[in-house]
Amino acid sequence: MSTPLEYYNSLPPVSKFYGMACLMTTSALYLQLYNPWIIALDYTLVIKKFQVWRLVTNFFFLGPFSVPFAFDLIIIARYGVSLEKGTFDKRTADFVWMFIFGALSLLVMAIIPILSSPFMGGSLVFMIVYVWSREYPNARINIYGLVSLKGFYLPWAMLTLDLLFGVPLMEDILGMVAGHLYYFLTVLYPLSGGKYIFKTPIWVHKIVAYWGKGSQMNSPVERDPFAGVAFRGRSYRLNGTPTRPAHHGHQDQDQNQRPNHQANDNGGVFRGRSYRLSGN
């Protein structure tokens, strides 16, 4: 069995970041380092006092230490990690875009007063459950070791349990709406012949490339090859001869373009007279 450190290091970057951010936010609240209403979503303060951080920070608060908080972390660690390692394997930017798209959808729905909530992290976590259920509809799920059902029905089973336990259902329903909207626009609609218009934006690829974590197949953004290089200087051939920089002028370029047939030039690779296949 792996140690907790080995398990932590094995987690994919996006799920690890979001889970740790939620854990640190609740830990800071437990230590009374801040007032939770400082990070709550309040459009009045966002517009009038330009407290734009509330649009982001409210998603990192899953409540104080409690059983529901533990369940949310388990969902991130199980279903978020399963999505990132499975469906979104080598698609880190696409997984980040799923989070951003879900958060933006929830922020738009929160404009309606009846749907507004000061903390929408629970809805974002439930969106993960819904997307997982659509990606793995035939996976077998056991609930408390009593009920076994397919993955497709997992969100509805969790919704039923919250109803039985007297938990408000609004954040779960908003998460399902956001998850279905994402899945419909990125999977169902393109499969039905519609245009794929909600592909991952280029700026998300740039963020992931700058972050340097995860990977993305067919990424339109290349990582900086010189990032993290501490020592740069003149390059040398294998025989110890320094190469000329490309900006030394036309004279150096002409010299580099001339053929060199001297026997003592060991720096060239595969030089000599060319031959046809017939041997002439």
Side-chain angles (χ1 to χ4, degrees):
M1 180 177 297
S2 61
T3 64
L5 180 59
E6 292 175 344
Y7 171 75
Y8 174 80
N9 292 331
S10 68
L11 295 175
V14 181
S15 300
K16 179 193 298 185
F17 171 80
Y18 185 60
M20 288 302 301
C22 295
L23 179 60
M24 293 176 64
T25 302
T26 298
S27 299
L29 176 66
Y30 179 78
L31 297 175
Q32 299 181 352
L33 298 180
Y34 71 98
N35 187 329
W37 296 107
I38 296 179
I39 63 174
L41 177 63
D42 189 332
Y43 277 113
T44 302
L45 296 177
V46 170
I47 296 173
K48 292 185 177 180
K49 296 189 177 181
F50 204 63
Q51 297 181 0
V52 294
W53 66 82
R54 296 176 179 271
L55 300 175
V56 178
T57 54
N58 77 93
F59 291 104
F60 296 113
F61 185 73
L62 300 178
F65 286 121
S66 59
V67 174
F69 171 79
F71 280 154
D72 285 340
L73 281 187
I74 293 174
I75 288 175
I76 297 172
R78 181 172 181 179
Y79 301 110
V81 170
S82 177
L83 278 174
E84 192 170 357
K85 287 186 174 182
T87 303
F88 292 92
D89 183 33
K90 297 182 180 180
R91 295 172 53 203
T92 304
D94 295 339
F95 194 58
V96 172
W97 172 239
M98 187 198 77
F99 272 88
I100 296 176
F101 181 89
L104 293 176
S105 301
L106 292 171
L107 289 175
V108 171
M109 287 186 281
I111 296 177
I112 304 175
I114 194 175
L115 303 179
S116 178
S117 174
F119 303 103
M120 308 197 75
S123 298
L124 191 61
V125 170
F126 206 85
M127 174 189 170
I128 296 175
V129 174
Y130 184 86
V131 174
W132 183 90
S133 70
R134 299 306 301 267
E135 293 290 349
Y136 300 95
N138 296 319
R140 302 303 301 182
I141 300 296
N142 289 319
I143 299 180
Y144 298 121
L146 301 175
V147 180
S148 178
L149 69 160
K150 290 185 176 181
F152 180 83
Y153 301 105
L154 178 61
W156 304 100
M158 296 180 65
L159 200 65
T160 303
L161 289 176
D162 287 346
L163 178 63
L164 294 177
F165 293 151
V167 178
L169 303 181
M170 182 57 67
E171 71 174 20
D172 294 351
I173 295 175
L174 293 179
M176 292 180 66
V177 172
H180 184 75
L181 184 62
Y182 169 82
Y183 192 77
F184 175 79
L185 293 175
T186 59
V187 179
L188 297 181
Y189 183 66
L191 287 177
S192 64
K195 187 177 180 180
Y196 186 28
I197 58 177
F198 278 91
K199 61 182 179 180
T200 305
I202 187 67
W203 58 269
V204 178
H205 286 280
K206 290 182 178 180
I207 291 176
V208 173
Y210 180 80
W211 187 20
K213 300 293 184 180
S215 60
Q216 179 74 29
M217 294 184 298
N218 301 324
S219 174
V221 177
E222 297 292 339
R223 294 184 183 179
D224 184 2
F226 300 105
V229 178
F231 300 99
R232 299 177 184 174
R234 178 179 298 176
S235 60
Y236 285 82
R237 297 181 185 272
L238 292 178
N239 64 351
T241 305
T243 59
R244 295 179 183 272
H247 59 273
H248 278 186
H250 297 286
Q251 182 179 357
D252 291 342
Q253 292 178 1
D254 293 338
Q255 292 177 356
N256 289 335
Q257 292 175 357
R258 295 174 184 174
N260 189 349
H261 301 290
Q262 296 180 2
N264 58 354
D265 186 2
N266 296 324
V269 180
F270 299 111
R271 292 181 178 176
R273 181 178 299 175
S274 62
Y275 289 86
R276 297 180 184 271
L277 291 178
S278 59
N280 297 328

